[in-house]
Amino acid sequence: MRDAGKIVGEILSLLRERIVPGVTTLELDSYAESEALKRKARPAFKGYGGFPFSVCASPNDRVVHGFPNDQPLIEGDILSIDFGVFVGGFYGDAALTYPVGAVSEEATSLLEVTSRSLELAVAAAVPGGRLGDISHAVQSYVEAKGFSVVREFVGHGIGRQLHEDPQIPNFGLPGRGPKLKPGMVLAIEPMINAGAPGVYVLPDGWTAVTGDHKLSAHFEHTVAITESGPEILTLIP
Ligand code: MG
């Protein structure tokens, strides 16, 4: 799983450099796919449940699972890119949200808070803890900052399958849920809205959008729980 995670982190790093005004998310999609194949890895999302692309590209009010398209990004957008690979029998999965050029103060704050909420969630992924500690770490921090937690989509276990038990909500109570043990690998992925938490799915059957069309951000890491604490497998260089 370290091999899969390393490839995901490397490719997200390359994608991040390419999130600039004028680029299209379809260009990012084909770039990610070719970089994965170069590393003898298979893009994990393409064909998953019928998803037609290698990356999920979700700008602005898109929450997750957006389809790449040929519309150029413009200065002031924010873009969530979610990417995973399958290699050596295992999956890796991660996401980041990045500003396109200069963005609003609200967007900057949303990106900082969502990224920080993932760090806090990872820090709670320790042996002897409970799954609810991870959920609570995200919710308590994000809501104190005035943002809201998406309820309809959650993180997940990951390994030989892209999505395994347990589900990992980004809201919940500390001390509840399954015990965290060394050897578990979790894809922790806060999805945070600037406005209300509600989302809906477009007629394409995939793209989740905020109900109030305010901004949404998404960060994700694949994290192994080890005897000595959490190890982020998808570190982005
Ligand atoms: Mg995931």
mmCIF file of all heavy atoms in Angstrom, residues 128-146:
data_model
loop_
_atom_site.group_PDB
_atom_site.id
_atom_site.type_symbol
_atom_site.label_atom_id
_atom_site.label_comp_id
_atom_site.label_asym_id
_atom_site.label_seq_id
_atom_site.Cartn_x
_atom_site.Cartn_y
_atom_site.Cartn_z
ATOM 1 N N GLY A 128 -5.855 2.189 19.662
ATOM 2 C CA GLY A 128 -6.539 2.358 20.948
ATOM 3 C C GLY A 128 -7.624 3.407 20.909
ATOM 4 O O GLY A 128 -8.490 3.439 21.783
ATOM 5 N N GLY A 129 -7.560 4.299 19.901
ATOM 6 C CA GLY A 129 -8.639 5.274 19.728
ATOM 7 C C GLY A 129 -9.853 4.611 19.104
ATOM 8 O O GLY A 129 -9.875 3.401 18.868
ATOM 9 N N ARG A 130 -10.862 5.435 18.845
ATOM 10 C CA ARG A 130 -12.092 4.956 18.200
ATOM 11 C C ARG A 130 -12.317 5.749 16.919
ATOM 12 O O ARG A 130 -11.883 6.903 16.806
ATOM 13 C CB ARG A 130 -13.292 5.159 19.121
ATOM 14 C CG ARG A 130 -13.201 4.395 20.420
ATOM 15 C CD ARG A 130 -13.892 3.078 20.319
ATOM 16 N NE ARG A 130 -13.867 2.364 21.601
ATOM 17 C CZ ARG A 130 -14.432 1.181 21.769
ATOM 18 N NH1 ARG A 130 -15.057 0.591 20.770
ATOM 19 N NH2 ARG A 130 -14.364 0.587 22.943
ATOM 20 N N LEU A 131 -13.055 5.128 16.018
ATOM 21 C CA LEU A 131 -13.338 5.784 14.743
ATOM 22 C C LEU A 131 -13.983 7.157 14.948
ATOM 23 O O LEU A 131 -13.689 8.118 14.232
ATOM 24 C CB LEU A 131 -14.265 4.892 13.911
ATOM 25 C CG LEU A 131 -14.320 5.247 12.436
ATOM 26 C CD1 LEU A 131 -13.028 4.866 11.744
ATOM 27 C CD2 LEU A 131 -15.491 4.562 11.769
ATOM 28 N N GLY A 132 -14.865 7.247 15.942
ATOM 29 C CA GLY A 132 -15.541 8.516 16.212
ATOM 30 C C GLY A 132 -14.582 9.648 16.571
ATOM 31 O O GLY A 132 -14.922 10.825 16.410
ATOM 32 N N ASP A 133 -13.390 9.307 17.059
ATOM 33 C CA ASP A 133 -12.404 10.351 17.375
ATOM 34 C C ASP A 133 -11.991 11.095 16.104
ATOM 35 O O ASP A 133 -11.760 12.311 16.128
ATOM 36 C CB ASP A 133 -11.143 9.738 18.016
ATOM 37 C CG ASP A 133 -11.442 8.958 19.289
ATOM 38 O OD1 ASP A 133 -12.570 9.072 19.813
ATOM 39 O OD2 ASP A 133 -10.541 8.218 19.743
ATOM 40 N N ILE A 134 -11.873 10.327 15.003
ATOM 41 C CA ILE A 134 -11.494 10.917 13.711
ATOM 42 C C ILE A 134 -12.623 11.835 13.228
ATOM 43 O O ILE A 134 -12.402 12.990 12.849
ATOM 44 C CB ILE A 134 -11.221 9.798 12.680
ATOM 45 C CG1 ILE A 134 -10.029 8.939 13.128
ATOM 46 C CG2 ILE A 134 -11.005 10.373 11.289
ATOM 47 C CD1 ILE A 134 -9.791 7.701 12.264
ATOM 48 N N SER A 135 -13.841 11.310 13.278
ATOM 49 C CA SER A 135 -15.010 12.069 12.829
ATOM 50 C C SER A 135 -15.146 13.361 13.621
ATOM 51 O O SER A 135 -15.380 14.447 13.075
ATOM 52 C CB SER A 135 -16.272 11.221 13.014
ATOM 53 O OG SER A 135 -16.125 9.963 12.400
ATOM 54 N N HIS A 136 -15.017 13.230 14.927
ATOM 55 C CA HIS A 136 -15.201 14.381 15.816
ATOM 56 C C HIS A 136 -14.111 15.430 15.611
ATOM 57 O O HIS A 136 -14.366 16.637 15.714
ATOM 58 C CB HIS A 136 -15.212 13.904 17.269
ATOM 59 C CG HIS A 136 -15.454 14.999 18.247
ATOM 60 N ND1 HIS A 136 -16.683 15.596 18.404
ATOM 61 C CD2 HIS A 136 -14.603 15.639 19.104
ATOM 62 C CE1 HIS A 136 -16.595 16.534 19.322
ATOM 63 N NE2 HIS A 136 -15.350 16.584 19.761
ATOM 64 N N ALA A 137 -12.890 14.969 15.334
ATOM 65 C CA ALA A 137 -11.784 15.915 15.114
ATOM 66 C C ALA A 137 -12.121 16.845 13.951
ATOM 67 O O ALA A 137 -11.871 18.057 14.008
ATOM 68 C CB ALA A 137 -10.493 15.149 14.831
ATOM 69 N N VAL A 138 -12.695 16.297 12.893
ATOM 70 C CA VAL A 138 -13.062 17.122 11.733
ATOM 71 C C VAL A 138 -14.215 18.050 12.103
ATOM 72 O O VAL A 138 -14.135 19.277 11.951
ATOM 73 C CB VAL A 138 -13.466 16.245 10.528
ATOM 74 C CG1 VAL A 138 -13.988 17.123 9.385
ATOM 75 C CG2 VAL A 138 -12.301 15.389 10.057
ATOM 76 N N GLN A 139 -15.292 17.466 12.591
ATOM 77 C CA GLN A 139 -16.516 18.261 12.810
ATOM 78 C C GLN A 139 -16.291 19.404 13.804
ATOM 79 O O GLN A 139 -16.712 20.548 13.553
ATOM 80 C CB GLN A 139 -17.643 17.365 13.310
ATOM 81 C CG GLN A 139 -18.945 18.149 13.488
ATOM 82 C CD GLN A 139 -20.090 17.291 13.988
ATOM 83 O OE1 GLN A 139 -19.871 16.222 14.575
ATOM 84 N NE2 GLN A 139 -21.303 17.741 13.762
ATOM 85 N N SER A 140 -15.650 19.096 14.927
ATOM 86 C CA SER A 140 -15.532 20.126 15.976
ATOM 87 C C SER A 140 -14.688 21.298 15.474
ATOM 88 O O SER A 140 -15.026 22.459 15.705
ATOM 89 C CB SER A 140 -14.946 19.519 17.250
ATOM 90 O OG SER A 140 -13.709 18.910 16.980
ATOM 91 N N TYR A 141 -13.623 20.999 14.752
ATOM 92 C CA TYR A 141 -12.744 22.071 14.253
ATOM 93 C C TYR A 141 -13.441 22.907 13.182
ATOM 94 O O TYR A 141 -13.454 24.143 13.227
ATOM 95 C CB TYR A 141 -11.446 21.470 13.713
ATOM 96 C CG TYR A 141 -10.535 22.494 13.098
ATOM 97 C CD1 TYR A 141 -9.864 23.427 13.901
ATOM 98 C CD2 TYR A 141 -10.362 22.563 11.723
ATOM 99 C CE1 TYR A 141 -9.041 24.386 13.336
ATOM 100 C CE2 TYR A 141 -9.538 23.525 11.149
ATOM 101 C CZ TYR A 141 -8.886 24.424 11.964
ATOM 102 O OH TYR A 141 -8.080 25.385 11.410
ATOM 103 N N VAL A 142 -14.045 22.219 12.218
ATOM 104 C CA VAL A 142 -14.641 22.902 11.064
ATOM 105 C C VAL A 142 -15.821 23.780 11.483
ATOM 106 O O VAL A 142 -15.955 24.932 11.044
ATOM 107 C CB VAL A 142 -15.082 21.835 10.033
ATOM 108 C CG1 VAL A 142 -16.084 22.402 9.055
ATOM 109 C CG2 VAL A 142 -13.860 21.281 9.311
ATOM 110 N N GLU A 143 -16.667 23.252 12.348
ATOM 111 C CA GLU A 143 -17.852 24.023 12.749
ATOM 112 C C GLU A 143 -17.462 25.220 13.611
ATOM 113 O O GLU A 143 -18.085 26.282 13.511
ATOM 114 C CB GLU A 143 -18.874 23.106 13.425
ATOM 115 C CG GLU A 143 -19.482 22.136 12.421
ATOM 116 C CD GLU A 143 -20.548 21.218 13.000
ATOM 117 O OE1 GLU A 143 -20.718 21.185 14.237
ATOM 118 O OE2 GLU A 143 -21.203 20.513 12.197
ATOM 119 N N ALA A 144 -16.405 25.075 14.415
ATOM 120 C CA ALA A 144 -15.921 26.226 15.201
ATOM 121 C C ALA A 144 -15.423 27.336 14.282
ATOM 122 O O ALA A 144 -15.416 28.512 14.664
ATOM 123 C CB ALA A 144 -14.812 25.781 16.151
ATOM 124 N N LYS A 145 -14.997 26.980 13.078
ATOM 125 C CA LYS A 145 -14.519 27.981 12.118
ATOM 126 C C LYS A 145 -15.658 28.537 11.254
ATOM 127 O O LYS A 145 -15.429 29.321 10.331
ATOM 128 C CB LYS A 145 -13.456 27.353 11.205
ATOM 129 C CG LYS A 145 -12.179 26.977 11.915
ATOM 130 C CD LYS A 145 -11.402 28.205 12.344
ATOM 131 C CE LYS A 145 -10.085 27.835 13.011
ATOM 132 N NZ LYS A 145 -9.339 29.034 13.459
ATOM 133 N N GLY A 146 -16.888 28.069 11.498
ATOM 134 C CA GLY A 146 -18.042 28.625 10.780
ATOM 135 C C GLY A 146 -18.364 27.945 9.468
ATOM 136 O O GLY A 146 -19.210 28.438 8.712
#
